[in-house]
Structures are given as C-alpha cells and as structure tokens.
Amino acid sequence: MSERKAVNKYYPPEWRPEMGSINKYRNSHPLRDRARKLHEGVMIIRFELPYNIWCGGCGKHVGMGVRYNSEKRKVGNYYTTPIYRFRMKCHLCDNHFEIETDPKNMEYVIVSGATRKEERWDSKDTETVEATDSEAKKRLLSDPMYRLEHGTTEAKKAQVHKPRIADLQASQEIKREDYALNQLARRKFRGEKRNIATREAADKELLAKGSMNLSLLPESEEDKRAAKAVPFKMSGESFDDFQKQKRLCIQARPIFGTSSSSPASKALSILQAKRKISLDRPKSSTSTGCKLAAASFSSGTSKTASKR
C-alpha cells in the first residue's frame, strides 16, 4: 500500500487524462507527508546518525546508525556546495538536536542538543596511511620545491618501514597455503581432543573406584616424583598379605593370657620389625611369617611342658 502511494501507481475509476496528473487531481504533493513543511523550506527525510552521540536532554547514549525522521533545511554554502542542517527528536526523551554538514572537513558537526562521543585518533599514533588533503594536492601540482620535499620525506618513510613490509610479505607467503594450514590445525586439534577424552576416561575410572565426586587436575612431573617418594606399601608384600599373616599369628596365640615374654608375642614383634626393615625384599608366600611364629610357639610350649 505504501509503495503504491509513493510512486502513484493507482488511478481511481473517475479519473480522466484531461484532469491532469493524479497529484493535481488529489491536490497532493508527490512526496506526500514528507513535503508538509515544504513551504517553509523544510523537507522530512530519513537521517542516519554518522557517529555515536550523547543526548543533551536525557544524557543517554545513542549509537551510530540509529535512524530518525529529520527536518532538512539549507543554511548556507561552502563555495558552490550547499550546507544542510538536520533537526531531529531523540527517541528516549523530548529533546531535539541538530547536526550540520561540513563540506570543508568532509564530516558532520553537531550544532546543538547533543555531544559527540570522541572516538577520533591521529593516523600517526595508529601507524595508518594518512590521506592527502586537497591543499597538499594543490601544492604538489603547483609547487616543485614542495613536491621535491614531499618525495624525500616519503622516501625516508619507505626506508624506515621497509623491514616491516618485508616481514609482512614473508608472513603472507607462509600463510598462503590456506588448505594445508587448516588441515594441520585440524589434525592438531583432533589429537588434543583425543588426549583429553582419554584423560577424562581415566579420571572417571579412578573416581569410580574410590566412589569420589571430585574434579581431578592434570598430572605433572612434580606430582609423579612426590608420589614415588612416599612409601605407600612394601615392595615385597602387599597390605592384604601382611594382614593375613597378622591374623594367623593371632590365631596361633594361646587362649589364656601370657606374659609379654611369651614366644607368640616375640614372634609377632619380630614379624613387625621385619616388615619395617625389609622394604625391598621380594614377595614371598603369605604363610612364611606365620610358620616362623608357629615354630617358635611350638618350641616354647614344648619347653614349658618338659619343665612341668
């Protein structure tokens, strides 16, 4: 519907060619509502903010690219180039701000109602290429001495930046094979993902054995050395084997209490001393210590029986 109104494609049945144009027949302007202030020299256009601003009424930020219905009027000329001013209303408050064109500096200037968010910088600080202005171009064309000085300055700049340009070109040559680099990176990432999955599976298995709910950190060489330095168990026999020997020795004791110098207690103390000293002894059968304890106990009981 709006398109039909804009370009005037619709002609009512009562219209005849001798009545003139459709705008004359409807007594309306071709621009419709955009031309409602045309008698004041104002045209309503859609204006897009060229940079970020701070509204002078509400103090809020209005981003670059926000569009407004603005009143456009001509306020002067720069030589033969017209200067236009755009007046619009903030969409966050009732404040109006005005922006004007600046043909000399080729930018927009805020006249009133707002403040520009300063985001401009010097090309020398950012080491970017600075465009030659119109006055410098005129001097290059008309002044031979200035042209010579400008060429000398540019040659010195080229000599200063020549190593950097060579490094950039070399890096571009190295990165030219995009497919090979992408393939190498993907292969590396797949290997890392496999290693991470393997480590996570091992951590889950370890946590399941201990019924723990913890987050394990990755292993390091320092942790491995510290763990190897701690004697968690004997190299000759396991903790279960020692417990079995201890249980058999307890079963070999007499039912009635005996003194601390009895053969069974001596055998138990000997067994404990051997466990502390013999860390590197090869693994033996589980009944070796108990046999020694039983032999000493039987010899002690036979001696007491002969005395009786």
Side-chain angles (χ1 to χ4, degrees):
M1 188 72 178
S2 60
E3 181 186 2
R4 186 180 70 236
K5 289 181 178 179
V7 297
N8 297 321
K9 289 182 178 179
Y10 178 72
Y11 291 85
E14 60 273 12
W15 178 83
R16 295 291 181 272
E18 58 270 12
M19 295 180 180
S21 66
I22 189 65
N23 293 319
K24 183 177 179 181
Y25 173 76
R26 291 184 174 277
N27 194 20
S28 63
H29 196 274
L31 298 177
R32 303 282 177 165
D33 292 339
R34 293 172 55 192
R36 64 178 181 270
K37 293 184 179 181
L38 201 60
H39 61 282
E40 301 176 6
V42 176
M43 182 182 293
I44 309 299
I45 67 166
R46 195 71 172 165
F47 184 80
E48 183 175 329
L49 289 182
Y51 40 71
N52 298 320
I53 66 170
W54 300 98
C55 178
C58 58
K60 294 184 179 179
H61 177 267
V62 183
M64 178 178 63
V66 178
R67 295 179 180 180
Y68 293 99
N69 292 330
S70 65
E71 298 178 357
K72 174 186 174 182
R73 60 166 54 89
K74 183 180 178 181
V75 295
N77 288 308
Y78 175 72
Y79 294 105
T80 58
T81 305
I83 299 175
Y84 294 104
R85 182 174 295 180
F86 307 91
R87 186 174 186 271
M88 60 210 81
K89 178 181 173 296
C90 178
H91 67 287
L92 300 173
C93 63
D94 295 332
N95 179 53
H96 287 77
F97 48 86
E98 295 182 355
I99 298 179
E100 190 175 288
T101 60
D102 185 6
K104 181 179 179 180
N105 299 316
M106 295 180 291
E107 64 174 359
Y108 291 89
V109 180
I110 297 176
V111 179
S112 63
T115 306
R116 179 173 181 172
K117 184 179 179 181
E118 194 60 46
E119 295 177 332
R120 290 170 287 189
W121 59 85
D122 190 1
S123 59
K124 296 179 181 178
D125 298 334
T126 56
E127 297 183 359
T128 55
V129 178
E130 185 178 3
T132 306
D133 56 358
S134 58
E135 295 181 0
K137 288 181 180 178
K138 290 179 182 178
R139 289 191 64 185
L140 285 172
L141 294 174
S142 60
D143 191 349
M145 293 301 296
Y146 180 76
R147 190 185 311 121
L148 181 61
E149 292 175 359
H150 186 272
T152 306
T153 306
E154 294 296 325
K156 290 180 180 179
K157 287 183 180 179
Q159 290 295 329
V160 171
H161 295 290
K162 189 174 182 180
R164 185 179 177 186
I165 294 173
D167 294 339
L168 292 174
Q169 290 176 350
S171 63
Q172 288 180 352
E173 289 293 333
I174 293 172
K175 298 178 181 179
R176 180 166 293 181
E177 296 293 337
D178 297 337
Y179 178 77
L181 291 173
N182 189 14
Q183 188 179 18
L184 182 64
R186 290 174 65 86
R187 188 182 299 114
K188 180 182 177 182
F189 293 152
R190 279 196 291 267
E192 291 178 356
K193 287 176 67 175
R194 267 198 299 293
N195 295 334
I196 292 172
T198 305
R199 187 167 61 249
E200 288 179 353
D203 293 344
K204 287 181 180 179
E205 185 178 357
L206 181 61
L207 293 173
K209 286 183 180 179
S211 300
M212 295 180 292
N213 186 13
L214 302 172
S215 57
L216 299 179
L217 297 175
E219 293 182 354
S220 63
E221 294 298 329
E222 295 181 0
D223 296 337
K224 291 180 181 179
R225 288 195 295 268
K228 289 179 180 179
V230 178
F232 290 102
K233 66 177 183 177
M234 294 178 60
S235 59
E237 55 184 353
S238 64
F239 179 76
D240 295 335
D241 296 338
F242 178 75
Q243 289 296 108
K244 289 179 182 179
Q245 294 178 10
K246 188 176 179 181
R247 194 176 297 110
L248 291 174
C249 293
I250 292 172
Q251 291 176 359
R253 291 180 183 177
I255 298 174
F256 302 100
T258 57
S259 62
S260 59
S261 59
S262 62
S265 61
K266 288 181 180 179
L268 184 59
S269 63
I270 291 170
L271 180 62
Q272 293 176 353
K274 285 183 177 181
R275 175 175 173 80
K276 291 179 180 179
I277 296 170
S278 304
L279 294 175
D280 298 330
R281 195 179 67 182
K283 188 174 181 181
S284 60
S285 61
T286 57
S287 61
T288 304
C290 294
K291 287 181 180 179
L292 293 174
S296 60
F297 176 73
S298 61
S299 61
T301 51
S302 63
K303 288 179 181 179
T304 53
S306 62
K307 287 179 181 180
R308 290 179 183 176

